[in-house]
Amino acid sequence: MRFWNKVRARFGRAAENDLAEEMRLHRQMIEDSLRAQGLSSAEARHKAALEFGPMAIAQEDSRAEWSYAWLESLWADVRYALRTLARDRTFAATAVLTLAAGLALATAAFTLFNAYVLRPFAVADPASLYEVRWLGKDRWVGMHTWRDYEDIRARKDIFSAVHASRGVFVMGVDRHWQGKMVTGNYFRMLGAHMALGRSIEERDAQAPLGDHVIVISHGAWKSVFQLDPGVLGKKVALRGRSFEIIGVAAREFAGLDGSPPDFWAPITMHGAFRKDELAVEVIGRLRDGVTRPQAEAALGALASRGQAGMRAGLGSRATVVAFSPMMIFVFAPVALALALVLATCCANVANILLARGLSRQREIGVRLSLGAGRARLVRQLLTEACVIATAAAALGLLLAHLLLTGGQAVFFATAAPEFARLVRLHSLELDYRVFLFALGAALIAAVGAALTPALQSTRRDTALAMRGEFSTAFRSSRLRDTMVVVQVVVSAVLLVCGALLFRRAAVFQAVDTGIDARGVVNVSAGEQGAVLSAAMRARPDVESVAGASRAIWFGRLQQTMVIPSGQANPRVSGYHRVSPDYFRLFHIRLRSGRAFTEEEARSGAPVAIVSEATARAFWPGEDPIGKTIVPSPVRERHLDALPNTGRLQVIGVAADVVHGWVFEGRDRTCVYLPVDESKAGQLFIRFRTGEQAGVHRLRQWISERLPDFEGDSISMNTVLDVQIYPFRAAAWIGWMLGLVAMALSVSGMYGVMSYLVNQRSKEIGIRVALGASPRGVVALVMRRSFWLAAAGVAVGAMLAGGAINLLLWWSAEIGVLRWDGVALVSGAAAAGIVALLAALGPSLRAARVDPNTVLRAD
Amino acid sequence: MGTNELLPGTLEMLILKTLSGGPNHGYGIAQHIHAASAGALKAGEGSLYPALQRLLVNGWVQAEWGISENNRKARVYKLTPAGRKRLAEERRQFDAMILAIGRVMEA
């Protein structure tokens, strides 16, 4: 009521005029009555004016009753802040840019975090979706039999709906299709919307008469069909069969997987896509009121049906990465680095604001002595900070957007093209959460940055303030020194981490695997090995073909237990089944002995070739040719048992190569066993045309001759690129963070030292007047900078050491990183040197201080 | 013309009381307070109009343009039901206050 009265009165311009008119009439009435008492017109007017008093003040007071005083003064503050910022553009630009840079980094990282961890899948009520798994002691099973699915689905008391699905990957000549085969209730259960057509329904997925229909994703619609509105009814050839497009999923619907699929097909099409047995992922929607432990207990009987001792576990499928302590642990180092950068940005802005507060001391002093309230002044400075924060948040969002789109562009441009073609990212749009995050972070940053200077610059003795003299009380403030030290520390830590990752990535990139993979394409031939190998050998553009039981560079070599002759105890050893041409194809030199023969490969003869490292480990100082190896039974789960073929005779020694992870180096042990090329499973084909053309020709041939072929093909160098890429990316990110931190510490040091020089200019002037040399003055400033930088470097080096240990511990599982003293020393030293260089400018300026000017200033 | 300063906050009450006798304009209200107090109280225009605005803000009075008794244009204020309640309330508080002050002075 009150509020609306005010608003009505405030926004009606008429109210204002009414009041003036009313008062004028009032005065006329007084005049009238005075005239009636016999006064002349002029006298009456004069007396009425006297009696009424100053009309303007009465009007002002009356108006004040209507307005929100604080609102008006807030608006005044904002206008004033804008005006002062516009007057000092360098200051405003520096503050806004510094803050925006930090925010952009934090926001971009948060966007990724949001897309994969925070933002639920765009489906109906994602929080109630759980994946059913059977958990054993040391393993868990996520794929279930069809019977298990039907029994889980029958538990209507636990789940209101349950669907089953299975992924499929279809490699085309140029375009690959990532698909999901789903039960008929999948789309309805997830509440998915369609951009075009209809979804897959129960009638499409009814065994045994499933239809050859698919729903394509919005992404595939865009990239394959250029958003053609007439796409419905078109056919897509997958695995040699033609599938009709019946629908296009809405843009936001990306299923429930980390990598969004390109198409969905009825689960009854399983046989068309895969030759293996049907096994499905099962996801249910928990009923209201049923807790997860209750559901897990209820499913316990089903879990232990297949294998005793198994129990049921439910995993949330609300987001790509389930929010768990493990996840927080994984993200913590990145989050920490970003928090440090953001904190540094805040510290710099605080410094800038502080320096500005000092340069405005006279203005603030005058305002204080004119009776300005301290709270009012603080509010004014805070308003200024908020204006800066708002601008920085807007700019930061823009920068974050550019960073993300640029980052994706860089990723797709620099990753191996084959690899980039396989990657499907979730939408990295800046949604409202990201916006709120940026704005919140900016406000916290700016208010945090402004609060200290605001309180400090208003904590003034009015009398001193009038004279502009409070720098003395200010000198002892340790705050700014701490800030500089902290900045040097942060940049040292980030530079060290960047250097560590960069040096590691450089090592990996330079690794000589010992395998010459140029022009070689790997195809998982499966059952079709004989056909493929015969066809490829017959081609003129194929130089050679070889086979192996396992793809290489996709993981560690398989391990087994063997007893080398002359030794009592079995030991762990890597093994690899290869065809006779394997060594020739990859240009792996045989140091002594011979390769397998075709006959040995066909019959699986008890012969073996060992790598040099294996020979050294098994029979140090002896000639391995003629020695024997006996397969031994294994107990551990991660080891394979070799068939008991009796003693294996060593017939050759091969050079050491990397079969597993590049970062683990050459195989510590590798025993090669013979296998028939056509039955090996994996084929390696060396094309004379180079790998890109080779992959294309192979896929072309497959699509023409073996349309229902299931295997994947990939060039070996792509595999290697994929292995190394994460390190390259991590190194770039490390460098980028380091550079940003360095730039920030430069601006921080420069700011603080400039401020110090300005503040002590009087003192420096006196020193110069008393005969101090320019060198002495430079030394004065540099000495201080040196101690600050030294403190920063010392603390930074210690923290960086801790950070390296944390990284080592964090990555211990994959054993990628090594302790790196060079990175530690060079990173920390770079941070210190750069900080000192930043202080050079202000100290040279101090040397040019003219005593005549500074001492006359007051 | 000796005038006394009003106790703080009492001007609103006097205006409300004046308007309870019927709608009136600003000049009329000032005149009435002056006359009814036998010239002892004078509501200065500098405080009369802010007070009237306060009453308007709170919805205790309404204003509209009309014609004064001697045919001049004037803005006429009228008591609202909420204003009538408010008057009773202020009256009660004022009486209690006067009583209390009286007791203190006579003690």
Side-chain angles (χ1 to χ4, degrees):
Chain A
M1 173 69 177
R2 236 181 113 92
F3 177 74
W4 284 114
N5 281 338
K6 285 187 181 188
V7 171
R8 263 212 314 274
R10 181 133 188 77
F11 292 101
R13 194 78 216 151
E16 196 97 326
N17 295 334
D18 276 3
L19 198 61
E21 170 75 355
E22 189 179 0
M23 288 187 185
R24 195 180 61 76
L25 289 170
H26 187 132
R27 210 165 69 177
Q28 255 172 25
M29 286 189 199
I30 300 176
E31 266 180 62
D32 284 353
S33 85
L34 287 172
R35 258 204 303 276
Q37 286 169 25
L39 271 76
S40 73
S41 280
E43 272 176 328
R45 190 172 308 135
H46 180 67
K47 196 137 186 256
L50 269 182
E51 202 165 305
F52 194 91
M55 219 155 103
I57 290 182
Q59 266 185 42
E60 188 68 29
D61 288 348
S62 304
R63 215 163 36 226
E65 298 294 335
W66 290 99
S67 64
Y68 287 106
W70 63 269
L71 201 69
E72 291 226 316
S73 67
L74 178 70
W75 176 230
D77 277 353
V78 170
R79 265 183 326 199
Y80 183 73
L82 286 174
R83 230 173 25 236
T84 43
L85 288 177
R87 214 164 40 218
D88 195 348
R89 291 209 180 85
T90 331
F91 157 76
T94 316
V96 168
L97 272 176
T98 308
L99 203 53
L103 282 175
L105 277 179
T107 306
F110 183 79
T111 303
L112 279 171
F113 185 73
N114 180 38
Y116 283 85
V117 182
L118 289 186
R119 187 174 58 200
F121 286 115
V123 300
D125 189 17
S128 66
L129 293 175
Y130 287 90
E131 183 190 342
V132 180
R133 299 173 187 144
W134 303 151
L135 310 176
K137 238 201 199 82
D138 50 0
R139 71 199 181 103
W140 58 271
V141 179
M143 301 303 281
H144 304 275
T145 61
W146 190 253
R147 187 176 151 224
D148 273 355
Y149 162 64
E150 288 191 320
D151 290 343
I152 295 168
R153 195 181 52 177
R155 295 300 299 261
K156 300 277 186 216
D157 55 325
I158 305 170
F159 294 116
S160 59
V162 181
H163 77 247
S165 63
R166 178 161 213 201
V168 58
F169 182 71
V170 182
M171 204 160 226
V173 176
D174 290 310
R175 155 98 206 177
H176 312 311
W177 291 82
Q178 210 162 282
K180 198 86 178 168
M181 294 174 284
V182 297
T183 46
N185 59 346
Y186 174 89
F187 284 94
R188 195 156 30 81
M189 174 175 158
L190 298 181
H193 295 286
M194 292 287 126
L196 280 182
R198 64 174 181 88
S199 65
I200 289 167
E201 291 160 14
E202 294 288 359
R203 64 186 149 114
D204 302 309
Q206 245 144 21
L209 293 162
D211 278 327
H212 287 69
V213 293
I214 55 169
V215 166
I216 60 172
S217 74
H218 197 277
W221 186 34
K222 192 173 169 190
S223 62
V224 183
F225 298 99
Q226 286 76 46
L227 301 178
D228 173 11
V231 73
L232 295 183
K234 287 201 172 171
K235 309 276 188 185
V236 177
L238 298 167
R239 290 265 202 276
R241 294 179 196 226
S242 160
F243 286 81
E244 185 187 337
I245 297 173
I246 54 164
V248 176
R251 207 161 82 94
E252 68 276 5
F253 183 74
L256 292 177
D257 296 283
S259 180
D262 297 316
F263 73 89
W264 291 268
I267 190 86
T268 40
M269 287 291 104
H270 188 268
F273 286 111
R274 304 181 67 126
K275 294 193 180 55
D276 58 357
E277 213 176 312
L278 176 61
V280 289
E281 209 182 334
V282 176
I283 292 172
R285 190 182 285 293
L286 216 54
R287 271 197 186 286
D288 278 346
V290 180
T291 66
R292 214 172 78 169
Q294 281 171 352
E296 285 171 348
L299 292 171
L302 273 179
S304 56
R305 179 172 68 182
Q307 199 182 345
M310 297 289 262
R311 59 196 170 80
L314 295 187
S316 170
R317 282 300 282 265
T319 54
V320 178
V321 181
F323 201 82
S324 66
M326 185 59 203
M327 191 277 315
I328 294 167
F329 176 63
V330 168
F331 278 93
V334 185
L336 195 70
L338 284 164
L340 281 176
V341 170
L342 195 57
T344 318
C345 287
C346 292
N348 272 352
V349 173
N351 244 335
I352 296 170
L353 289 175
L354 194 63
R356 190 172 151 75
L358 199 68
S359 73
R360 278 166 70 183
Q361 57 192 11
R362 204 175 279 265
E363 175 203 330
I364 289 169
V366 169
R367 283 157 151 259
L368 275 173
S369 36
L370 284 178
R374 178 138 168 252
R376 187 79 178 70
L377 273 178
V378 168
R379 211 178 71 195
Q380 221 242 286
L381 292 173
L382 283 183
T383 308
E384 213 172 281
C386 287
V387 169
I388 290 173
T390 313
L395 187 63
L397 273 179
L398 184 70
L399 284 178
H401 177 72
L402 292 178
L403 197 66
L404 283 170
T405 43
Q408 286 184 60
V410 167
F411 166 77
F412 282 110
T414 57
E418 272 294 300
F419 174 43
R421 228 173 287 168
L422 299 180
V423 173
R424 309 274 187 280
L425 294 177
H426 276 279
S427 150
L428 289 177
E429 275 158 37
L430 304 170
D431 73 0
Y432 75 97
R433 284 188 203 81
V434 177
F435 179 74
L436 287 182
F437 170 83
L439 200 65
L443 281 179
I444 291 170
V447 170
L451 204 57
T452 329
L455 291 177
Q456 271 211 0
S457 25
T458 57
R459 194 189 300 139
R460 298 272 181 263
D461 185 321
T462 316
L464 283 178
M466 263 307 276
R467 279 184 280 141
E469 261 183 35
F470 21 59
S471 39
T472 42
F474 215 38
R475 193 172 300 163
S476 63
S477 159
R478 271 179 229 131
L479 187 71
R480 283 178 331 279
D481 287 357
T482 317
M483 278 179 191
V484 175
V485 172
V486 166
Q487 282 168 20
V488 176
V489 167
V490 169
S491 68
V493 171
L494 291 178
L495 281 174
V496 168
C497 292
L500 178 87
L501 290 172
F502 188 80
R503 281 164 50 83
R504 257 344 253 171
V507 167
F508 297 147
Q509 266 182 303
V511 161
D512 177 11
T513 57
I515 289 176
D516 181 4
R518 282 170 301 171
V520 179
V521 177
N522 174 202
V523 53
S524 45
E527 310 279 292
Q528 310 281 4
V531 183
L532 261 170
S533 113
M536 288 299 125
R537 277 180 180 279
R539 288 175 68 109
D541 56 352
V542 169
E543 191 183 297
S544 50
V545 178
S549 56
R550 242 182 131 224
I552 60 174
W553 294 339
F554 268 105
R556 287 178 188 168
L557 271 184
Q558 287 161 289
Q559 309 279 310
T560 184
M561 299 287 278
V562 295
I563 307 173
S565 60
Q567 292 193 15
N569 296 322
R571 53 185 303 165
V572 175
S573 168
Y575 78 95
H576 193 37
R577 296 176 193 276
V578 303
S579 74
D581 287 335
Y582 185 84
F583 301 98
R584 198 162 54 78
L585 179 112
F586 281 124
H587 301 164
I588 301 172
R589 249 172 308 156
L590 288 176
R591 300 293 185 198
S592 61
R594 60 174 178 87
F596 301 123
T597 63
E598 291 295 334
E599 176 48 38
E600 282 166 344
R602 247 195 307 283
S603 63
V607 289
I609 293 170
V610 295
S611 69
E612 284 180 292
T614 316
R616 276 197 304 276
F618 286 3
W619 306 283
E622 293 178 61
D623 181 7
I625 306 285
K627 299 275 191 222
T628 57
I629 297 168
V630 179
S632 157
V634 298
R635 254 173 242 105
E636 287 85 350
R637 182 175 287 286
H638 64 275
L639 300 177
D640 303 332
L642 290 180
N644 194 0
T645 47
R647 274 171 203 287
L648 304 171
Q649 177 133 32
V650 176
I651 58 163
V653 179
D656 286 330
V657 298
V658 178
H659 273 122
W661 300 121
V662 170
F663 53 80
E664 288 190 328
R666 301 197 171 196
D667 310 333
R668 258 170 246 139
T669 48
C670 178
V671 173
Y672 297 93
L673 303 170
V675 69
D676 188 21
E677 181 180 296
S678 57
K679 296 195 183 74
Q682 298 289 331
L683 284 181
F684 301 94
I685 303 156
R686 184 185 288 278
F687 282 88
R688 296 181 207 279
T689 52
E691 61 238 16
Q692 284 313 321
V695 164
H696 192 82
R697 286 173 189 209
L698 176 67
R699 286 179 188 160
Q700 197 82 48
W701 187 88
I702 289 173
S703 76
E704 283 160 16
R705 303 298 178 83
L706 295 172
D708 62 343
F709 182 69
E710 268 185 61
D712 303 338
S713 49
I714 192 163
S715 82
M716 296 300 296
N717 276 337
T718 299
V719 180
L720 207 57
D721 273 352
V722 172
Q723 261 200 42
I724 295 170
Y725 193 80
F727 299 101
R728 266 162 61 197
W732 290 338
I733 292 170
W735 271 127
M736 200 177 68
L737 284 178
L739 285 178
V740 169
M742 203 157 84
L744 288 176
S745 83
V746 164
S747 77
M749 184 65 127
Y750 185 85
V752 167
M753 285 306 142
S754 307
Y755 161 79
L756 191 84
V757 168
N758 287 345
Q759 185 205 11
R760 290 174 69 177
S761 58
K762 215 186 281 183
E763 177 200 332
I764 294 171
I766 293 171
R767 280 169 187 260
V768 173
L770 290 180
S773 68
R775 181 181 299 200
V777 172
V778 170
L780 180 79
V781 180
M782 286 308 280
R783 199 158 42 229
R784 193 182 172 86
S785 316
F786 176 79
W787 284 118
L788 292 180
V793 167
V795 178
M798 270 192 301
L799 285 182
I804 293 179
N805 276 327
L806 193 72
L807 281 175
L808 287 180
W809 180 59
W810 179 53
S811 64
E813 183 76 6
I814 44 176
V816 182
L817 298 176
R818 301 274 175 280
W819 177 264
D820 189 342
V822 177
L824 180 64
V825 172
S826 55
I833 290 168
V834 163
L836 278 182
L837 286 178
L840 213 56
S843 62
L844 290 177
R845 189 140 36 83
R848 285 197 300 272
V849 164
D850 178 4
N852 282 326
T853 317
V854 287
L855 294 180
R856 226 180 320 132
D858 279 302
Chain B
M1 210 192 311
T3 52
N4 291 325
E5 261 191 50
L6 283 168
L7 277 171
T10 46
L11 179 57
E12 275 99 331
M13 182 175 71
L14 297 184
I15 295 172
L16 288 175
K17 174 66 188 163
T18 306
L19 290 179
S20 73
N24 211 334
H25 45 75
Y27 176 72
I29 296 169
Q31 286 296 98
H32 180 263
I33 292 175
H34 190 68
S37 64
L41 299 175
K42 180 166 167 27
E45 285 72 11
S47 48
L48 175 69
Y49 281 94
L52 277 170
Q53 303 304 312
R54 265 198 299 283
L55 296 175
L56 277 171
V57 166
N58 286 303
W60 292 329
V61 301
Q62 278 175 351
E64 63 189 36
W65 287 101
I67 301 293
S68 75
E69 53 278 14
N70 32 8
N71 254 354
R72 276 197 176 276
K73 198 177 148 204
R75 203 164 180 219
V76 177
Y77 293 86
K78 202 173 81 188
L79 205 59
T80 64
R84 207 167 288 283
K85 253 194 252 166
R86 177 72 194 172
L87 174 62
E89 167 92 348
E90 288 210 11
R91 178 82 198 240
R92 201 178 46 70
Q93 279 177 7
F94 182 75
D95 286 350
M97 171 71 75
I98 290 297
L99 194 66
I101 293 175
R103 278 187 189 139
V104 171
M105 295 309 287
E106 271 148 42

